[in-house]
């Protein structure tokens, strides 16, 4: 099928999957006991009132006494109209809450992504060029270290050392700092550092292994016989082919890390980003917000997978998207 | 699972014992059954005849209790032994080759040693080391060779020198705020980690392999549907799901394991399916035409051994993810504080980090080392078991 | 006689491996004059490829190490620095290799890769380089060169890919072309075309060609002179006609014997190559030679002795004072026009 049709079909599938997953989330939430309601029941009991009546009242207030499918239809409709409802816990529309949180998340996730994408492959190729030498071992050592150390653990240790003992970075995040100020840089440097050390390890290893294969390839010999300098050979003849298998891993890695790492980093450093938002929503069982977040995260993940596949076919001229 | 019909098959297999690379399932299965039977009986006894609050071994005077998770854990240990360790003995040539390749990777060998310690510590530790007990008075004790400001402790187990409470060998890694011994906590944490590792991996392998092979052999629209299903599983924002489910539905260790396994088998299923497809292209057709052997037989004899080494590598690399996830969730406050996992220890010690860093550092470093170890080993396995996947070719 | 284009003396190339030091090329000499084609012949493992790669030092050093003297147009290539060598590689001395499938980078168009070869050595504009590249592609026989310029390697057939490689090699009007089994991976008919092409280009560009092969049929077609290598040493050298008509060294004789001929029974050569890390004393071929005597297994490889004018063999039987009839009139040889089948596989 044509490229356009293929992309169209995959995007459609992405939407379908996101909906399915969000539906499952919806069902999970619906089946769960709602603490606010239990709270109301307890209150009523303590005050000598009738708990079950209180429960009924609360449910009615929240629209929870309607049959499931009605609620579900409402939900689907709201997704389409991008009216994702009202966030109970934040007292603002869900979309507004998420955009606000995104603003803070972007401030650390953009530098994080840029650094990983540029440094990772470079260090990997460098390591492959000096394979098995001490340089390689040091680089690989760092990679393994960064990859293995739990981000939250690393974060709190660094915060202890640099925030409490040396006092070079603030220990809590100040949202009033302007985005492009030195103050903002100081408070973001540790979270970005922790995140980068975590993700660079994986990308570096992959690019090391993939580029090693290309370094010993026939066309590298041809390049050398043509008189190509080693630097140019690495830049053009190793990096470029390496990007093909690397791209698939890169996208996958970054996405996978995004949700887990960012939440924990936000908690440790006190950044009010998307991760924290979702977590707090969970704690207070703010259904609309949870569903909104789930939808967004899932859609990003699925689209990310799609991008991964497509990028692969674009980067390798030998592959026809038909072969996928 | 007892196979009655292939009595003769078993005998035929026996003579093929010398072939390397094949899992000789006959004697292993027998051993597995022999070991599982008493375990099953014990479990039956425990669930039916021993009271809820009584310990399993109360009858013989031990206060050791086994919960369902422990039973399953022991079952997975048997599986591990009979289907992974024993075949290594049965195929010495293959084992020697793999070991030689593996040994080249020194960090991996060290990691194997470390994991061995964790494994033994997790299995036998609780028998030797007593469970960490609450003891508020002796909270915040420093590890041996370190000291803490006297003001931070209620009583000091060691001597007080210059206003600082000294550590003792009684609590070699110090105590938590609640006075629980950190060293004991780490040992008991080893058990938890081992349980997570073994049980989750077994479930993931079981579901993944079954799903993958069934999908491959069913073919057609069943295959399509199944693979779309796998797509969905793989698209779940897993950590989010963990948070959601565990927060709302309770977070005991069993739930953790259940939830982890539910979302982790997708990759394995996909891989097994593609391998099964490529094998079935040749073997299946030949087998059905010539010997009339059942598909099941073909799968077991051909697909599984080929796939086994890659899956082992893949699974080894999954385990650190589970351990990390458990720790992360514990840190966030989701999880059972009664479960003495490393994550719980770190979480408990966070607030006292400034003056009693060992509470966080000790389990944190142990967790880090274990994750590192699994990664090294997985990497080395990749080189040793899958030379095709190796990047550095001669 | 003017100085040879390429003069190699005492070339020795070793590699350090886990099992010891491997000597791939153990002190050989050869030369190539302007406009002539010299074929290095031998089975796999004879060291012929390593020898040619040592000339321009495209061997990975370390673990490799090249010693000896390699004089190209009077200059010693082994004494040059890497940057100097890079000006010569791909320009004055060009290589083409055996495997056209793998020899090009699959991520770039064919045109891009030829232009790269041009622009490394000459500071000319993209348009000029493109024009030159298309011109070369045309010369090597690629139809519709200007539109094929933007195609990727995988869109070409094996033979066409090899033509592109040749075009890439010609960007600098090279004086020496080193061709390492360029036709081995191709169909027989395509093989003939490529050989024809090389001969034409040799005339047009006035190149010397150092051609490596194990296929005696190819040798018969294009060689002026032959150097026969075995296990890192030279066994025999000489004019192509001389060697084909009267091969002097037992190894050459057996090689020629492997060529199929109607009505005659042919055989392979029993035995295997010696260990390159710890080779035996004496003549390298002795363990497989039916004429081996005690003198063959002592000391070093026998010195080369002139058997005919211009033809030399490294064999003890040709030493003065010995009876060489044992080997001189050895196995009957094949005629030079016959199509060859290689004597040994990879």
């Amino acid at each position: 099928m044509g490229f356009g049709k293929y992309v169209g079909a995959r995007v459609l599938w992405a939407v379908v999957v996101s909906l399915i997953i969000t539906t499952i989330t919806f069902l999970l939430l619906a089946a769960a006991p709602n603490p606010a309601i239990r709270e109301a029941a307890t209150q009523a009991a303590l005050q000598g009132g009738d708990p079950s009546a209180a429960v009924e009242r609360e449910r009615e207030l929240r629209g929870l006494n309607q049959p499931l499918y009605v609620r579900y239809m409402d939900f689907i409709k709201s997704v389409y109209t991008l009216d994702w409802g009202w966030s109970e816990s934040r007292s603002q529309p869900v979309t507004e809450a998420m955009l606000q949180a995104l603003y803070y998340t972007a401030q650390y996730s953009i530098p994080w992504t840029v650094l990983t994408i540029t440094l990772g492959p470079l260090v990997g190729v460098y390591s492959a060029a000096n394979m098995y030498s001490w340089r390689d071992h040091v680089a690989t050592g760092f990679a393994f270290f960064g990859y293995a150390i739990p981000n939250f653990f690393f974060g709190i240790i660094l915060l202890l050392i640099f925030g409490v003992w040396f006092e070079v970075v603030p220990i809590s995040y100040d949202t009033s700092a302007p985005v492009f100020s030195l103050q903002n840089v100081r408070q973001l440097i540790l979270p970005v550092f922790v995140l980068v050390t975590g993700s660079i390890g994986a990308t570096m290893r992959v690019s090391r292994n993939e580029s090693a294969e290309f370094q010993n390839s026939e066309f590298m010999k041809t390049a050398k016989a043509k008189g190509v300098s080693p630097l140019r050979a690495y830049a053009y003849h190793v990096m470029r082919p390496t990007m093909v298998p690397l791209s698939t891993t890169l996208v996958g890695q970054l996405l996978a890390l995004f949700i887990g790492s960012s939440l924990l980093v936000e908690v440790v450093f006190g950044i009010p980003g998307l991760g924290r938002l979702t977590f707090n929503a969970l704690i207070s069982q703010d259904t609309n917000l949870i569903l909104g977040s789930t939808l967004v995260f899932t859609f990003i993940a699925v689209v990310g997978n799609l991008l991964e596949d497509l990028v692969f076919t674009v980067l390798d001229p030998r592959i026809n998207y038909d072969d996928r | 699972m007892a196979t009655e019909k292939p009595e003769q098959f078993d005998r035929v297999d026996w003579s093929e014992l010398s072939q390397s690379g094949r899992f000789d399932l006959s004697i292993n299965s027998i051993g597995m059954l022999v070991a599982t039977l008493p375990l099953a009986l014990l479990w039956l006894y425990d669930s039916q005849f021993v009271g809820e609050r009584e310990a399993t071994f109360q009858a013989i005077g031990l206060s050791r209790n086994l919960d369902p998770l422990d039973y399953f854990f022991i079952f997975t240990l048997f599986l591990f032994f009979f289907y992974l360790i024993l075949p290594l003995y049965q195929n010495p040539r293959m084992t020697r080759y793999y070991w030689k390749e593996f040994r080249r990777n020194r960090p991996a060998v060290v990691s194997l040693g470390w994991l061995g310690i964790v494994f033994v510590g997790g299995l036998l530790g609780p028998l030797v080391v007593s469970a960490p007990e609450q003891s508020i008075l002796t909270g915040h004790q420093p590890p041996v060779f370190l000291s803490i400001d006297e003001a931070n402790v209620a009583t000091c187990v060691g001597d007080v020198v210059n206003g600082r409470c000294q550590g003792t060998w009684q609590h070699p890694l110090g105590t938590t705020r609640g006075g629980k011994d950190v060293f004991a906590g780490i040992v008991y944490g080893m058990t938890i980690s081992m349980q997570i590792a073994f049980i989750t991996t077994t479930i993931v392998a079981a579901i993944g392999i079954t799903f993958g092979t069934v999908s491959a052999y069913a073919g057609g629209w069943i295959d399509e549907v199944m693979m779309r299903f796998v797509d969905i599983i793989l698209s779940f924002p897993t950590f989010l799901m963990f948070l959601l489910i565990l927060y709302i539905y309770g977070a005991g260790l069993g739930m953790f394991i259940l939830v982890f396994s539910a979302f982790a088998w997708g990759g394995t299923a996909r891989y097994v399916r593609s391998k099964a497809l490529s094998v079935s292209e040749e073997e299946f057709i030949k087998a059905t035409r010539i010997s009339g052997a059942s598909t099941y037989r073909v799968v077991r004899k051909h697909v599984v051994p080929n796939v086994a080494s890659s899956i082992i590598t893949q699974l080894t690399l999954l385990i650190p993810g589970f351990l990390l996830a458990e720790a992360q969730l514990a840190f966030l406050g989701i999880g059972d504080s009664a479960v003495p996992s490393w994550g719980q220890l770190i979480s408990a010690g966070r607030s006292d980090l400034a003056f009693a860093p060992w509470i966080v550092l000790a389990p944190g470093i142990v967790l880090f080392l274990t994750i590192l170890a699994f990664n090294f080993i997985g990497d080395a396995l990749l080189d040793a078991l899958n030379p095709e996947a190796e990047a550095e070719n001669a | 006689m003017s100085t040879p284009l390429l003069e190699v003396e005492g070339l020795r190339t070793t590699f350090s491996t886990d099992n010891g030091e491997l000597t791939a090329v153990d002190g050989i000499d050869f030369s190539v004059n302007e406009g002539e084609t010299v074929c290095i012949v031998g089975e796999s493992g004879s060291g012929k490829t390593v020898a040619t790669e040592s000339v321009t030092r495209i061997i990975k050093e370390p673990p490799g190490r090249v010693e000896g003297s390699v004089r190209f147009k009077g200059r010693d290539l082994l004494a040059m620095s890497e940057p100097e060598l890079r000006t010569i590689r791909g320009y004055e001395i060009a290589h083409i290799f055996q495997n056209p499938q793998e020899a090009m980078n699959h991520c770039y168009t064919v045109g891009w890769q030829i232009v790269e070869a041009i622009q490394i050595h000459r500071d000319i504009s993209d348009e000029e380089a493109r024009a030159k590249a298309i011109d070369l592609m045309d010369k090597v026989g690629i139809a519709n060169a200007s539109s094929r310029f933007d195609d990727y390697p995988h869109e070409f057939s094996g033979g066409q890919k090899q033509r592109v490689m040749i075009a890439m090699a010609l960007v600098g009007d090279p004086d020496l072309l080193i061709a390492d089994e360029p036709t081995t991976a191709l169909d027989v008919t395509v093989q003939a075309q490529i050989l024809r092409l090389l001969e034409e280009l040799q005339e047009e560009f006035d190149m010397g060609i150092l051609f490596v092969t194990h296929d005696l049929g190819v040798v018969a077609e294009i060689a002026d002179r032959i150097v026969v290598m075995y296990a890192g040493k030279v066994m025999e050298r000489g004019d192509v006609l001389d060697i084909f008509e009267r091969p002097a060294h037992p190894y050459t004789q057996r090689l020629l014997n492997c060529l199929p001929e109607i009505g005659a029974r042919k055989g392979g050569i029993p035995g295997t190559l010696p260990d390159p890390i710890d080779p035996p004393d004496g003549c390298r071929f002795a363990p497989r030679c039916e004429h081996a005597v005690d003198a063959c297994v002592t000391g070093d490889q026998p010195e080369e002795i002139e058997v005919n004018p211009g033809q030399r063999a490294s064999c003890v039987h040709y030493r003065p004072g010995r009876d060489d009839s044992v080997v001189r009139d050895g196995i009957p040889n094949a005629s030079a026009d016959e199509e060859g089948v290689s004597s040994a596989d990879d």
Side-chain angles (χ1 to χ4, degrees), chain B residues 189-222:
Chain B
M190 288 180 183
T191 319
I192 304 292
S193 298
M194 284 293 110
Q195 284 181 335
I196 294 179
F198 275 91
I199 302 179
T200 329
T201 309
T202 309
I203 300 179
V204 165
I207 303 180
I209 295 179
T210 316
F211 213 82
T213 43
V214 166
S215 186
Y217 279 96
W221 63 268
I222 302 182

Side-chain angles (χ1 to χ4, degrees), chain A residues 90-103:
Chain A
R90 305 249 317 188
S91 302
Q92 57 181 162
V94 167
T95 34
E96 201 180 289
M98 290 186 67
L99 281 172
Q100 264 184 6
L102 181 62
Y103 177 70

Side-chain angles (χ1 to χ4, degrees), chain C residues 80-270:
Chain C
M80 276 189 200
S81 67
E82 260 298 297
E84 272 188 271
L85 269 174
R86 283 204 288 272
T87 59
I88 297 181
R89 285 189 199 133
Y91 206 63
E92 297 176 67
I93 306 181
H95 282 263
I96 54 179
F97 299 108
Q98 177 174 355
N99 198 343
Q101 305 288 352
E102 315 277 318
M104 281 189 280
N105 193 325
H106 54 270
C107 292
Y108 297 108
T109 62
V110 147
W112 185 96
Q113 296 187 54
I114 301 179
V115 164
E116 181 186 37
I118 298 173
Q119 291 186 317
I120 289 176
H121 297 285
R122 293 220 300 252
D123 187 15
I124 65 177
S125 70
D126 289 343
E127 294 79 44
E128 276 190 73
R130 185 197 157 97
K132 167 105 185 151
I134 293 177
D135 178 48
L136 282 170
M137 282 173 72
D138 200 38
K139 242 194 226 338
V140 297
I142 306 257
N144 293 325
S146 50
S147 60
R148 300 297 307 236
F149 181 88
D150 296 309
D151 284 342
Y152 287 92
H154 67 274
E155 295 175 272
F156 289 78
S157 71
Q160 286 176 320
K161 279 201 265 261
Q162 196 61 295
R163 289 175 195 268
V164 169
M165 293 303 295
I166 295 173
M168 241 193 282
L170 295 173
V171 295
D173 283 341
D175 299 304
L176 177 66
L177 178 67
I178 302 182
D180 189 354
E181 307 218 45
T183 54
T184 307
L186 303 172
D187 292 336
V188 174
T189 41
V190 179
Q191 210 175 99
Q193 291 169 4
I194 298 290
L195 288 178
R196 201 102 303 129
L197 175 66
L198 283 174
E199 282 182 324
E200 285 165 12
L201 293 169
Q202 179 179 35
E203 267 234 37
E204 181 176 338
F205 286 81
D206 195 24
M207 296 186 294
I209 297 184
L210 183 62
F211 198 106
V212 172
T213 181
H214 63 267
D215 185 339
L216 290 165
V218 169
V219 173
E221 270 202 55
I222 63 165
D224 294 319
R225 286 192 293 130
I226 305 180
V227 173
V228 180
M229 274 187 75
Y230 180 80
K233 293 264 191 203
V234 173
M235 295 288 122
E236 184 169 358
R237 66 178 78 236
D239 187 86
V240 60
L241 291 173
D242 288 341
I243 292 199
F244 267 81
E245 273 178 36
R246 298 194 69 110
H249 195 283
Y251 177 59
T252 322
Q253 291 168 354
R254 297 214 68 133
L255 272 185
L256 287 165
N257 187 50
C258 295
L259 290 175
E261 198 183 83
I262 297 170
R265 278 188 67 199
K266 301 291 172 175
I269 309 179

Side-chain angles (χ1 to χ4, degrees), chain A residues 10 13-22 255 259 294-306, chain B residues 227-241 263 266-267 270:
Chain A
R10 290 293 301 266
W13 176 241
V15 173
V16 167
V17 173
S18 316
L19 274 179
I20 293 180
I21 293 180
T22 323
L255 282 176
I259 296 166
T294 315
L295 192 64
V296 166
F297 280 136
T298 312
F299 191 66
I300 292 177
V302 178
V303 168
N305 280 324
L306 170 64
Chain B
M227 279 302 115
R228 292 304 130 234
F229 182 61
V230 171
D231 272 351
I232 295 178
I233 296 278
L234 287 172
S235 305
F236 267 95
T238 37
F239 198 69
L240 201 66
M241 287 295 121
F263 289 102
R270 251 201 202 158

Side-chain angles (χ1 to χ4, degrees), chain A residues 112 147 198-199 202-203 206 246-258 308:
Chain A
W112 169 41
Y147 185 68
S199 59
T203 52
V206 170
L246 189 61
S247 65
T248 60
T249 343
L250 265 182
V251 179
Q253 291 279 356
L254 290 175
L255 282 176
L257 285 177
F258 180 72
E308 212 174 276

Side-chain angles (χ1 to χ4, degrees), chain A residues 128-129 131 214-242 244 314-319, chain C residues 49 53 57-61 82 85-87 89-91 93-95 97-99 102-108 112-114 116-117 120-121 152 154 165 168 180:
Chain A
M131 204 157 234
F214 294 120
Q215 283 177 18
N216 294 323
S217 62
E218 276 293 304
F219 55 79
M220 273 296 275
K221 187 160 82 165
T222 306
K224 195 169 180 185
K226 271 175 12 183
V228 174
S229 70
L231 185 63
R232 192 194 156 89
Y234 276 113
Y236 283 88
H237 292 277
V238 174
M239 285 303 302
R240 179 63 181 75
T242 306
V244 179
V314 165
L315 284 181
D316 192 339
R318 295 174 296 186
I319 295 185
Chain C
T49 297
E53 287 179 7
R57 288 168 62 191
I58 57 178
I59 305 263
K60 212 168 172 205
E61 303 178 87
E82 260 298 297
L85 269 174
R86 283 204 288 272
T87 59
R89 285 189 199 133
Y91 206 63
I93 306 181
H95 282 263
F97 299 108
Q98 177 174 355
N99 198 343
E102 315 277 318
M104 281 189 280
N105 193 325
H106 54 270
C107 292
Y108 297 108
W112 185 96
Q113 296 187 54
I114 301 179
E116 181 186 37
I120 289 176
H121 297 285
Y152 287 92
H154 67 274
M165 293 303 295
M168 241 193 282
D180 189 354

